[in-house]
Structure formats: structure tokens, C-alpha cells
Amino acid sequence: MRISTDFLVIGSGLAGLVFAIKAAKHGKVLLINKSSIDTTTTSYAQGGIAAVTYLPDSHDKHIKDTLSAGRFLNDEAMVRTVIHEGAARVKELVKWGVRFDKKKSGHFDLSREGGHTENRVLHWKDRTGHEIQRVLVEEAKKNKNITVLENHFAIDIITQHHLGVKVTRQTKDITCYGAYIFNKETSQILTVLSKQTIMATGGAGNVYLNTTNPAVATGDGIALVYRAKGKIRDMEFVQFHPTALYNPKDHPAFLITEALRGFGAILVNKKAHPFMDKYDKRGSLAPRDIVARAIDNEMKISGANHVFLDCTHLDAHKLITHFPHIYAKCISVGIDFTKDKIPVVPAAHYICGGISIDVNGQTSINHLYAAGECACSGMHGANRLASNSLLEAVVIADRAAKHAVIDIERLKFNEEIPDWDAEGTVLNEEMVLITQSLFEVQSIMANYVGIVRSDLRLKRALDRLAIIFKETEELYEKSILTDKICELRNIINVAYLIIKFAKNRKQSIGLHYNTDYKNNQNPS
Ligand code: SIN
């Protein structure tokens, strides 16, 4: 089956939805999600969206905090653009109907997270992402120019490679003509021809065993663009959130928002001693790379599986009012955070690297844009400042939409694109082969490419991954296509990129900490 659309949007989190809503004023939009429209990484965001709203905050302060958290590896011009345009985008979200908590005075109730020198995080209780997703889904669904296809999985971006042209990483003018899309319900593969395509597939946390990301976060966009020979950057910078609830039964790991530390909660070890002041003068509110590494170190010293987050000294009523979602979750596992300390452990949370984009969300491939977590604009540098990701997603999606609509009527579909060739795919392999390989990749990444790395660990990881890569490619060649084998391939691709980039960076900086280069850690 063939479909033609002006705009193809792959992913339906904040970035995909904002792009779709804006592009729909200029043409037909096809919005796909491999699961349901609201199963996205955005929905899981708790803390909120950082933006400059009132004095004494200022753009300069937010820029300084972002650059300092990113260890100055950020693209400063990008940081400036995103922060300057942030407040206008927040206003637009409010206009669409997104609620952010307010004080009695009518001003936004701004919270504070690690690395911020001001309270600047707008939030809706402790479920900000869920609120944003709800409103934007409603807005997209009532738009007649947007067609939503759920349970549709993007397998490959279509380029001149599919017309028989040899495409390498040196090829200039690689062009995107759309994508091959797998319908999970019928197993049919659609050829979607589009004039402009955007990758907004979200995170890649499932490259690791323990992650706060939903199961759908398998790095699909990054892997697709890499396979299409597009440019990827900064993949060594994987952010581990310091405080996921320690409960080995939870997949994904349940996030305990940093805003709780902004509210006064402190990290303590199993002897109930606060330990963060030993590591950084900002204590429990130091940037995430520092806090996650400190927790990792405390766990190694004590042999414990977790540390604790202590809020028992805080006002119980206010705690429950501000963090009802976390309170309910903790109660469900027998922890009353007004009386008990919360056991917490770091978990893979956000990939700062991804598909390389410019300030308009353009990738290195013509007519292909990217926004949100799968993209890398250089905003986050070596370590993302908390709550800057929703901000970046909304600003870049807006810019990408404004750019992609230019001359849309003049652009043509490439009708010569052939349909997907499924010949030779007969084997219906047992699921256990895929799940076992997935577990092996996640274990390799957790054990050798986590918070603390070394040259030897990275070499081991790459050697072991090479075996799984070969086995999986052989299986893929022979098998009837399923989303699960595609996801495994994507996870292996992303794992490979993280290891390769980590091996190439001969220093410790921000989220990339290699014990062989520990003296190079930049001061924060
Ligand atoms: C959190 O609420 O702690 C997560 C926010 C973020 O990752 O930016």
C-alpha cells in the first residue's frame, strides 16, 4: 500500500505533536506512533519545563546554568536561541490549554532542580509531561489535516539508496523521500512518500537494563538516521537520573523527580548520613552527572543496592499536595514518604546525543528534520540541565515546522520509490532469541558503559556487542519482519554509537566519566 502526505511525523510526544499541529496549517500531516498516541517519553516527564518567566530570573542566568551543567561543551548560540524563545512557546502551550501550577497570587509556582540557580521550572504537580501530552493529543485529534496511525512502526527512511544509488557517509545531498512503515496489526509494510519528514521518536533508555523511560524508548529515530548515513553526535553523553525508586520489580524504574530535592529532600546513605556535601558545595542539588556519580560511589563504598532520599523533615501536607503521583506510587509499595526514607538508585534517563540538527531542526539529510530527545542540537553539551529537554523540544519543533512549510506546494513526491522488498524473509524465529539478545545488550551497557567507564570496559563492550550484532543481522535477513526484531536492531545500533563515541573521547567530562582519564574532569 502507498500513501502520500505533505508531512510525515514519526513519533507523537511533545516535539512530534507541536510540529504536526503547526504544519497542518499548510498541508496534510500523517502522524505515526509505534504504540498508542500517548505512549511517549513526554508523558513520563515529571519535573517540568524550565523557562524564564519572572525577575529575579533572567535569560543570562538560565544560559549560564545550562552552559555550566553542560561543562561548556554546549553550542552556545543554540542555548541562547532556545532560552530566548522558550517563554513564548510556554505561552502557546498555555493557550492550547496546558495547565501549570500557580500560586495564590496568580503567578506560576516555579520549582527548582539540580544545577539551576533560580526557581524556574513550570510544572503541573508531579505529572507535567502527562498534562502536556493530554492537551496536545486533543489538539491534534480535532485537526482535520492530521491523520493519526497508531501501532505503526517506522522501519527505514527512504533515500536514493532505495533507488539503487550507492549512499555512503561521504555522499552529499542524501535526500529523504519518506519512510517504510510496518503496520503491527496487519504486518503490512506501507510505502509512505512525504515531502518533509520529522523524526520525533523520543529516548533510548532501553539500551540499558534499568531506565526511567517507557518500553517504547528504543532509540529508533537515531538508529534509522544512522543507517541512512545521516550525521549523529554527542552519543557518549548518557544521563543517569540520580533518583529512581529502588524497586527491582518496576520496568520502567519509577522516577522520583529532582523537584523533590528542590523542595528540600536530601540524599542520605544507609547510616542516614547526608553525603552530597562531600562531593559538591551545591549538595543534593548539584547537577545530575555529579549526583549520580556520587550515589554510585556511595553504593560501592557501602555495598548497598541503593541510597535514600529523605523528606521526613518536610511539611507532610505540602509534600503530598505537590507530589501526589509520587506519594501514591510510594504508598503502593509500602513507603510513606512523610515518615519513611525513599530508597533510590540512578537509572538511565536521557540521551544528550542523537541526530545532529541545526537551529531549524534540519538534519544532514535533505527534507528530514528531527526534534526532541532523538535529536541533538548541541543545547545540552556534556550534561543536560534538568527540565531543559521539554523546552528544547518545543522550541525546535516550532522552528522546524516554520522551516518545513516554506515552499511546501512546490515540493514533489518521488513516485519512483519501490515498495518494500520482503523476499526471502520466511523464518518465524522464536521470540526467546530476541529477548535474550536484548537482555545481553542491556547487561553489557549497564556493566561496561554506565556511569563509570574505562578503556578496557569499553573495549569489552564493543567486542561482545559485535557478536550480538552479527547474530541479529543474520536473523533479521531471514526472518518475517516484526517490530521486536526491528527494535532490537535499533537498540544494538544505538549501543554501538554510545560505545564508539565514548571510546573516541579521551577525557572525562560531564556525563562521560572514564577512570583512565579522570584528571581531565572539568570543574563544574
Ligand atoms: C525530573 O523530574 O527530575 C526529571 C526532569 C528532567 O529530566 O528534566
Side-chain angles (χ1 to χ4, degrees), residues 79-121:
V79 172
R80 289 186 178 278
T81 302
V82 171
I83 289 174
H84 278 274
E85 294 180 13
R89 300 287 74 81
V90 165
K91 268 194 194 142
E92 205 161 40
L93 290 175
V94 172
K95 194 187 80 197
W96 278 323
V98 175
R99 296 167 295 174
F100 292 113
D101 281 352
K102 288 192 171 161
K103 294 185 184 169
K104 284 203 183 92
S105 63
H107 289 89
F108 290 120
D109 174 32
L110 303 173
S111 55
R112 166 106 47 130
E113 294 182 41
H116 290 271
T117 53
E118 291 290 347
N119 287 26
R120 64 168 70 97
V121 181

Side-chain angles (χ1 to χ4, degrees), residues 27 40 138 143 162 172 192 202 212 302 333 384 432 447 504 514:
T40 66
E138 270 174 26
N143 192 315
H162 297 93
K172 299 238 173 353
V192 177
T212 59
S302 68
V333 294
R384 177 180 63 98
V432 66
N447 294 328
N504 287 344
N514 181 330

Side-chain angles (χ1 to χ4, degrees), residues 46-47 113 241 255 257-258 288 349 384 386-387:
Q46 288 185 2
E113 294 182 41
H241 196 289
L255 183 69
T257 179
E258 209 158 287
R288 279 191 193 160
H349 181 63
R384 177 180 63 98
S387 288

Side-chain angles (χ1 to χ4, degrees), residues 44-48 113 239 241 243 255-261 288 349-350 384-390:
Y44 279 65
Q46 288 185 2
E113 294 182 41
Q239 187 168 72
H241 196 289
T243 57
L255 183 69
I256 306 288
T257 179
E258 209 158 287
L260 202 52
R261 276 176 278 142
R288 279 191 193 160
H349 181 63
Y350 188 89
R384 177 180 63 98
L385 184 68
S387 288
N388 263 357
S389 43
L390 293 179

Side-chain angles (χ1 to χ4, degrees), residues 239-286:
Q239 187 168 72
F240 285 75
H241 196 289
T243 57
L245 178 67
Y246 175 73
N247 182 18
K249 286 196 204 126
D250 279 345
H251 295 286
F254 184 82
L255 183 69
I256 306 288
T257 179
E258 209 158 287
L260 202 52
R261 276 176 278 142
F263 204 74
I266 45 171
L267 286 158
V268 299
N269 59 21
K270 68 176 182 190
K271 292 187 182 142
H273 293 155
F275 58 83
M276 269 313 300
D277 289 345
K278 271 193 306 194
Y279 297 90
D280 193 282
K281 60 179 186 305
R282 290 162 289 188
S284 292
L285 272 181

Side-chain angles (χ1 to χ4, degrees), residues 146-420:
I146 301 178
T147 304
V148 177
L149 291 181
E150 297 184 313
N151 293 311
H152 279 69
F153 187 99
I155 314 167
D156 255 340
I157 297 164
I158 303 173
T159 66
Q160 54 267 57
H161 163 78
H162 297 93
L163 293 168
V165 178
K166 188 169 160 49
V167 176
T168 69
R169 296 206 181 275
Q170 276 65 52
T171 304
K172 299 238 173 353
D173 283 332
I174 304 176
T175 300
C176 174
Y177 302 113
Y180 291 116
I181 309 285
F182 176 67
N183 178 338
K184 285 165 61 179
E185 280 154 13
T186 63
S187 295
Q188 223 188 2
I189 297 166
L190 313 181
T191 305
V192 177
L193 300 181
S194 57
K195 294 180 178 174
Q196 304 281 28
T197 300
I198 184 164
M199 279 292 165
T201 55
N206 288 284
V207 170
Y208 288 86
L209 266 186
N210 192 26
T211 177
T212 59
N213 292 180
V216 291
T218 52
D220 303 328
I222 299 173
L224 262 69
V225 172
Y226 180 68
R227 285 205 295 272
K229 312 284 190 260
K231 201 169 158 224
I232 308 293
R233 61 180 284 195
D234 294 1
M235 292 294 286
E236 65 274 43
F237 300 120
V238 178
Q239 187 168 72
F240 285 75
H241 196 289
T243 57
L245 178 67
Y246 175 73
N247 182 18
K249 286 196 204 126
D250 279 345
H251 295 286
F254 184 82
L255 183 69
I256 306 288
T257 179
E258 209 158 287
L260 202 52
R261 276 176 278 142
F263 204 74
I266 45 171
L267 286 158
V268 299
N269 59 21
K270 68 176 182 190
K271 292 187 182 142
H273 293 155
F275 58 83
M276 269 313 300
D277 289 345
K278 271 193 306 194
Y279 297 90
D280 193 282
K281 60 179 186 305
R282 290 162 289 188
S284 292
L285 272 181
R288 279 191 193 160
D289 54 340
I290 295 168
V291 181
R293 232 173 5 254
I295 295 176
D296 188 68
N297 197 43
E298 289 294 313
M299 283 163 50
K300 281 185 180 134
I301 294 169
S302 68
N305 291 330
H306 57 79
V307 294
F308 292 95
L309 190 62
D310 187 1
C311 356
T312 54
H313 54 290
L314 301 171
D315 181 292
H317 176 70
K318 283 192 185 152
L319 264 178
I320 297 169
T321 315
H322 277 79
F323 304 101
H325 183 49
I326 296 178
Y327 179 68
K329 170 67 189 181
C330 287
I331 287 290
S332 78
V333 294
I335 300 161
D336 175 350
F337 69 23
T338 65
K339 300 191 188 89
D340 310 315
K341 296 180 189 62
I342 311 172
V344 290
V345 70
H349 181 63
Y350 188 89
I351 182 132
C352 295
I355 305 160
S356 181
I357 55 166
D358 69 9
V359 75
N360 293 316
Q362 290 188 104
T363 71
S364 60
I365 298 180
N366 297 330
H367 302 297
L368 181 68
Y369 294 79
E373 189 171 345
C374 69
C376 179
S377 68
M379 161 98 182
H380 308 309
N383 175 42
R384 177 180 63 98
L385 184 68
S387 288
N388 263 357
S389 43
L390 293 179
L391 180 73
E392 185 208 32
V394 69
V395 170
I396 299 289
D398 168 72
R399 290 185 140 257
K402 286 176 179 147
H403 197 268
V405 301
I406 299 170
D407 281 346
I408 191 73
E409 307 84 22
R410 223 180 28 81
L411 298 176
K412 300 266 177 296
F413 297 110
N414 189 332
E415 302 288 355
E416 285 165 30
I417 299 297
D419 285 338
W420 179 263

Side-chain angles (χ1 to χ4, degrees), residues 132-150:
I132 292 174
Q133 185 79 33
R134 177 189 72 76
V135 170
L136 295 183
V137 166
E138 270 174 26
E139 191 70 26
K141 280 192 170 164
K142 65 186 186 213
N143 192 315
K144 298 235 169 1
N145 261 357
I146 301 178
T147 304
V148 177
L149 291 181
E150 297 184 313

